[in-house]
Amino acid sequence: MCGFIGIVDEQGVAEQLSTGLQALQHRGQDSCGIFTYDGAHFPGHRGLGLVRDVFDRSVVGRLKGIAGIGHVRYPTAGKGVLADTQPFFERRPGVIMAHNGNVTNYEELERGLAGRSIHLVSRCDVEPILCIFADEVMARRRVNHTADDVAAALRDTVRMVKGAYSVVFVMQVDGEPTLVAFRDPNGIRPLVMGRRGDAWCVTSESVALDALGYELAGELEAGEVGFFRLGQEPLRRMLDQREHTPCVFEAIYFSRPDSVERGETVYERRLALGRRLAREFADRDLRADRVIPVPDTSRPAAIAFAEELGLPCREGFIKNRYSGRTFIMGSQAGRESALRLKLNLIRSEFEGQRVVVIDDSIVRGSTIRRLLDLVWSQGPKEVHFAIHAPPVLHPCFYGIDMSTEAELAAPRYTRDAAKVGGLSLADQRAMEERWAEELGVDSLTFLSVDGLSEVFPGRRCAACFDGVYPLPIPEEHRLAIIKDRTAC
């Protein structure tokens, strides 16, 4: 999962891009980059680490231009090295590009490009998108590219590139510096747009718009491309639209609670998840004295859970604000070390109490074990864990860092893990009992798939929970993705 932002503004964009990336820092801590365009040149800078460390005032001051893009990354393809850091630049026709998501046929694209004597210099999967697009648009016209040229080249690019992705780039189109953004045909990864006077901004989350004073102007649809220019309405064209299936894990974990997705805040979604989880917890005849969220993602769900059951919601975990998000750390050892630094407990909130600890998900299972060590050391009477998402039973091939079945914890506790459509409620409750017994907790309750569907009605990508992949992944592509991730 990554975050990007693109801006076109006659007042200059570099400082805005740096600020916007800081608002998106939760989406990637591995590396970051900014490139701009002044009508003739594409100055840029990339580095490993946080935005505030890579982009000081002197660096930002060198990035002149009225259009540009920025990116924060954590790797789901390639490694966390500088060569894989976005954005990427292609000299012919002169284009800078970044993305969020995952290309599932990277190896196939790499071979096809090599057959045309186009060789990749990284393992980052935005590079083949960039190279294919550049080759296609140059085949149509060598100079003075038009919006028609770009749209036609993108249609061919989208036809070749499989996966879940939102892409932003800048180039000269119709004689003007133009910000261009497009989504994959299923719209799995988010992309919103905002306006401020004559300026336009596109980004992964609306919080970047808020930080910069842009007014949210909606989203690009699945399979749609938008051309953004100073003082003009966007030119929007459809490339290849299929059924819109946005990722639910974005709202469950990745996105900031103040982000807006399709007219509703992530905060409201998490409140709804908490209310439904509370009803399922009560249906099991479980009792508790207080509700304690694991900060920060689960806090809205915990508040609603407590309100639904008439229980107090208390802060039992105190978070070190200068530590990172453990899920997006690059290694298991890094995640465990970060967790030890990340949380401390208030003993009085646990001692002698029946506590329900609310968390957003369990992926690998290591975090919950460490949390339990901390919780039991505080002397609680009973410990119940409640998760405001279903169990993660299937790998994600669309940009979330859980691409191999071997790293997932939940399938170890059920014989029905491969079942498409998710576990039945009876099978899920049986799995929870086995898992709770091994963990040594009084209960473990996941949200059911039916509960998830209540909060996210209609079509959506919840493949990690129910095994329903909106974009089929051939076995060859699965094996290549798994090989890439296990080599990192």
Side-chain angles (χ1 to χ4, degrees):
M1 189 63 61
C2 302
F4 65 72
I5 181 170
I7 298 174
V8 56
D9 185 352
E10 63 182 353
Q11 302 301 317
V13 298
E15 187 171 345
Q16 292 185 64
L17 292 170
S18 177
T19 301
L21 288 183
Q22 291 180 65
L24 299 173
Q25 188 75 83
H26 60 285
R27 299 185 66 87
Q29 302 169 356
D30 192 75
S31 63
C32 55
I34 293 174
F35 274 72
T36 59
Y37 179 48
D38 63 5
H41 304 96
F42 293 87
H45 184 75
R46 304 185 298 172
L48 301 179
L50 302 179
V51 177
R52 67 179 184 227
D53 298 323
V54 173
F55 289 98
D56 59 28
R57 188 171 297 275
S58 64
V59 172
V60 172
R62 295 196 299 268
L63 305 178
K64 307 296 184 182
I66 64 169
I69 57 177
H71 189 270
V72 290
R73 181 176 190 252
Y74 99 90
T76 55
K79 300 182 179 181
V81 297
L82 188 59
D84 292 336
T85 300
Q86 300 183 49
F88 277 69
F89 170 58
E90 181 65 33
R91 290 174 175 81
R92 299 169 71 242
V95 56
I96 45 177
M97 181 179 287
H99 88 323
N100 168 41
N102 199 52
V103 172
T104 58
N105 63 333
Y106 176 93
E107 304 287 346
E108 177 182 274
L109 297 177
E110 184 180 39
R111 291 193 298 270
L113 286 166
R116 288 184 271 170
S117 295
I118 301 172
H119 301 281
L120 304 180
V121 297
S122 77
R123 291 291 299 176
C124 180
D125 52 347
V126 77
E127 192 184 5
I129 301 177
L130 173 60
C131 290
I132 290 170
F133 166 72
D135 197 44
E136 291 295 328
V137 80
M138 289 297 293
R140 284 162 173 81
R141 196 189 309 265
R142 301 191 68 81
V143 294
N144 302 322
H145 298 99
T146 67
D148 288 340
D149 297 332
V150 172
L154 285 176
R155 288 190 181 95
D156 285 343
T157 301
V158 167
R159 178 178 52 80
M160 288 183 269
V161 177
K162 309 301 181 184
Y165 49 83
S166 291
V167 180
V168 61
F169 64 93
V170 167
M171 65 177 291
Q172 189 98 341
V173 182
D174 294 322
E176 297 182 64
T178 304
L179 176 67
V180 186
F182 67 97
R183 299 178 76 175
D184 73 80
N186 292 100
I188 296 173
R189 293 284 150 242
L191 197 160
V192 298
M193 54 188 177
R195 185 172 197 168
R196 189 185 66 192
D198 288 338
W200 286 97
C201 177
V202 295
T203 184
S204 298
E205 287 187 42
S206 65
V207 291
L209 304 178
D210 298 335
L212 297 169
Y214 284 77
E215 182 179 353
L216 178 63
E219 304 182 12
L220 287 180
E221 296 300 319
E224 186 180 27
V225 59
F227 297 80
F228 301 86
R229 294 166 181 152
L230 289 171
Q232 302 177 34
E233 290 300 312
L235 173 63
R236 301 172 66 168
R237 297 184 179 178
M238 189 55 62
L239 301 174
D240 178 14
Q241 186 177 38
R242 299 166 202 166
E243 194 164 27
H244 189 190
T245 53
C247 170
V248 300
F249 207 73
E250 289 272 358
I252 289 170
Y253 178 81
F254 270 98
S255 297
R256 269 178 38 175
D258 47 337
S259 288
V260 177
E261 296 179 356
R262 301 192 76 79
E264 187 175 26
T265 64
V266 171
Y267 182 80
E268 293 170 304
R269 293 278 182 90
R270 290 177 185 168
L271 288 174
L273 290 168
R275 284 191 290 268
R276 174 63 191 236
L277 179 63
R279 297 199 295 272
E280 296 191 13
F281 183 86
D283 287 344
R284 299 184 65 189
D285 291 324
L286 298 170
R287 300 290 183 268
D289 300 315
R290 61 187 52 183
V291 179
I292 299 177
V294 178
D296 285 316
T297 312
S298 62
R299 187 173 284 113
I303 291 170
F305 183 102
E307 289 176 348
E308 186 77 14
L309 299 182
L311 298 173
C313 183
R314 309 294 283 270
E315 294 289 349
F317 297 96
I318 301 303
K319 183 178 180 181
N320 178 350
R321 299 293 171 185
Y322 299 95
S323 66
R325 301 183 80 178
T326 56
F327 180 79
I328 62 174
M329 293 293 172
S331 68
Q332 186 63 36
R335 282 185 285 268
E336 292 177 358
S337 177
L339 182 62
R340 288 192 291 271
L341 176 65
K342 179 180 180 179
L343 294 176
N344 201 13
L345 279 66
I346 298 176
R347 186 176 185 88
S348 60
E349 296 299 335
F350 294 90
E351 191 169 21
Q353 304 293 321
R354 298 176 299 175
V355 298
V356 185
V357 178
I358 307 293
D359 207 353
D360 51 68
S361 59
I362 302 177
V363 179
R364 299 172 180 87
S366 57
T367 298
I368 190 172
R369 291 182 181 278
R370 175 58 184 160
L371 282 175
L372 272 174
D373 290 343
L374 294 172
V375 170
W376 282 119
S377 71
Q378 307 303 300
K381 182 179 179 180
E382 294 179 10
V383 176
H384 303 267
F385 263 85
I387 311 299
H388 63 83
V392 176
L393 295 168
H394 306 272
C396 175
F397 301 104
Y398 302 146
I400 307 294
D401 187 13
M402 43 188 182
S403 309
T404 69
E405 294 179 6
E407 66 188 316
L408 304 180
R412 304 168 200 164
Y413 301 96
T414 177
R415 291 185 294 273
D416 299 309
K419 183 178 179 181
V420 174
L423 298 176
S424 69
L425 187 60
D427 288 339
Q428 180 173 313
R429 297 299 179 235
M431 181 208 73
E432 292 164 351
E433 290 180 7
R434 287 191 288 270
W435 201 344
E437 183 177 1
E438 181 180 303
L439 289 170
V441 295
D442 293 276
S443 75
L444 174 64
T445 304
F446 288 89
L447 186 72
S448 66
V449 172
D450 285 345
L452 185 75
S453 296
E454 178 182 286
V455 179
F456 297 93
R459 289 287 293 163
R460 73 281 193 275
C461 180
C464 54
F465 304 126
D466 60 19
V468 180
Y469 293 92
L471 175 69
I473 312 294
E475 187 64 18
E476 176 189 0
H477 298 168
R478 288 179 182 239
L479 293 175
I481 292 169
I482 292 169
K483 179 181 179 182
D484 181 79
R485 294 309 302 148
T486 54
C488 291

